[in-house]
Amino acid sequence: MTPSTDTSGGGPVRQGVQGSAETGAAWAAVGRAGAGVPSGSGIPSGSGAPAAQARVPQQAGAVRGEHTHSEPPVPVVPVVPVVPRARPVVQRASVRGQILDALRAALVAGDLRPGEVYSAPVLGERFGVSATPVREAMQQLALEGAVEVVPNRGFRVVERGVRELAELAEVRALIEVPVMLRLARTVPAERWAELRPLAEATVRAASSGCRATYAESDRGFHRAVLSLSGNEQLVQIAEDLHRRAQWPLVGGGPGVRGRADLVADAHEHTALLDALVARDLDVVRALVGEHFAGAAAAG
C-alpha cells in the first residue's frame, strides 16, 4: 500500500516510525510470552522475531494460523534452571561441637573446678582454637546450667552441693524406674542380650579410672536401655539429667570417685541386664534405685 502524502513533508516518515514502534512492541510482547529461543534456531538474539516462530518454522507457502500435516512440530526443549552448586558446609559447628565435648569431659574430670572463672581466649589457647567456638560452647554449657556468665571476665563453673545431686538422683529414679519396669515386662531376652557389649564397655571404662571416659560410657548404656521405650523425648530428658548428675561437687576433683567406685557402679549395669532378662521386677527396682543413690552419694 502506498502511504498517503503529507503536505508537511513528514507524514510518511512519521507513519513509518509509528508502525515500526508498534511492530517492535508486539514482537517484544510475544518474545516475552515465549521466552527461551533454543540455540541453533538461526534467529539472532534481539532480532525481534517471536519465540513461537523461532520454534516452529513455517513451510513455504504456508499461511500463518494453518496447521501443517506434512511435517511434525519441532519439540520444544524445556529450559532447565541452573541450580547453583551448594557451597561447602563451614566446619565451624563441628569445631564448636568438639570443643563442647572437650569442655564437658574437662568438667566431669575435674579439670574445670567449681567456683573458678575461665575466659574463652585462655581456653581457646589451651585447645588450639580461637575464642569464638569456645565462647559458643560455654554459652551452651550456661544453658545447661553447668556454668554461669561473668561479664567481662568469662564463665564461672557452677558450685553444686550434695543436696542438688540427691535431688537429681530422685528425679532420675522417678523417670527411669517405671520405664525399666515396663520394659522388663515387654522386651524379649534377645533384645537385652544386644546391650550386653555396652554394659561390658562401662566396666572397661571404669577400670581406666578416668571419670570422663566412664561418664560417657555410662550415659551410652542408659540411653540404649531407655531407647527401647520408643520415647525420644524421655530419652533426651533423662540424658540431660544424667549429664548434670555427673558434674563434680564443690571442692571435688578427679579423686572423689576412685577406680573402685567406678568399677562397682559399672558392674551394676551387668546385674541390671541379668534382672531384666529374668524379668525380676523387684531386683530391677532395687538395682536402679541403688544405682542412682550410690552415684549421688559418691558424686
Side-chain angles (χ1 to χ4, degrees), residues 199-250:
E200 295 171 350
T202 63
V203 176
R204 292 192 298 271
S207 300
S208 69
C210 177
R211 292 184 61 185
T213 302
Y214 176 69
E216 183 176 356
S217 181
D218 184 26
R219 289 197 313 274
F221 173 78
H222 283 266
R223 181 170 57 249
V225 171
L226 296 177
S227 294
L228 295 178
S229 68
N231 189 330
E232 185 61 30
Q233 299 301 317
L234 181 145
V235 174
Q236 293 179 5
I237 293 173
E239 183 164 6
D240 178 65
L241 293 171
H242 195 169
R243 180 181 288 111
R244 292 172 59 188
Q246 293 173 333
W247 297 337
L249 299 179
V250 176

Side-chain angles (χ1 to χ4, degrees), residues 1-255:
M1 176 181 296
T2 304
S4 59
T5 304
D6 191 337
T7 56
S8 64
V13 176
R14 191 160 47 249
Q15 181 180 4
V17 171
Q18 181 179 2
S20 300
E22 292 174 354
T23 304
W27 287 123
V30 176
R32 287 193 297 271
V37 178
S39 60
S41 62
I43 299 178
S45 174
S47 63
Q53 184 179 3
R55 289 196 294 269
V56 186
Q58 295 184 1
Q59 296 180 348
V63 181
R64 178 178 298 181
E66 294 182 351
H67 180 67
T68 305
H69 297 279
S70 60
E71 182 178 341
V74 179
V76 179
V77 180
V79 179
V80 180
V82 178
V83 180
R85 181 177 297 180
R87 300 179 61 183
V89 179
V90 180
Q91 298 299 317
R92 177 175 174 179
S94 176
V95 173
R96 179 181 57 190
Q98 294 175 18
I99 296 300
L100 179 60
D101 291 340
L103 289 173
R104 283 172 172 166
L107 187 67
V108 174
D111 295 334
L112 298 180
R113 297 183 175 275
E116 296 291 331
V117 177
Y118 299 90
S119 68
V122 171
L123 290 175
E125 199 173 311
R126 170 179 172 180
F127 291 114
V129 297
S130 67
T132 299
V134 175
R135 187 175 294 108
E136 293 173 346
M138 291 295 270
Q139 288 171 348
Q140 176 60 36
L141 288 179
L143 292 176
E144 297 175 3
V147 300
E148 57 187 8
V149 179
V150 180
N152 302 322
R153 293 186 59 193
F155 302 86
R156 177 185 291 111
V157 178
V158 173
E159 299 179 281
R160 304 184 313 135
V162 176
R163 178 181 177 83
E164 181 178 346
L165 200 59
E167 291 174 349
L168 286 170
E170 182 180 3
V171 175
R172 289 185 63 199
L174 290 173
I175 293 176
E176 296 192 34
V177 170
V179 175
M180 290 190 183
L181 291 176
R182 175 168 59 86
L183 294 176
R185 300 186 187 97
T186 58
V187 175
E190 55 268 20
R191 294 297 304 276
W192 295 122
E194 296 174 359
L195 302 186
R196 185 75 60 178
L198 291 177
E200 295 171 350
T202 63
V203 176
R204 292 192 298 271
S207 300
S208 69
C210 177
R211 292 184 61 185
T213 302
Y214 176 69
E216 183 176 356
S217 181
D218 184 26
R219 289 197 313 274
F221 173 78
H222 283 266
R223 181 170 57 249
V225 171
L226 296 177
S227 294
L228 295 178
S229 68
N231 189 330
E232 185 61 30
Q233 299 301 317
L234 181 145
V235 174
Q236 293 179 5
I237 293 173
E239 183 164 6
D240 178 65
L241 293 171
H242 195 169
R243 180 181 288 111
R244 292 172 59 188
Q246 293 173 333
W247 297 337
L249 299 179
V250 176

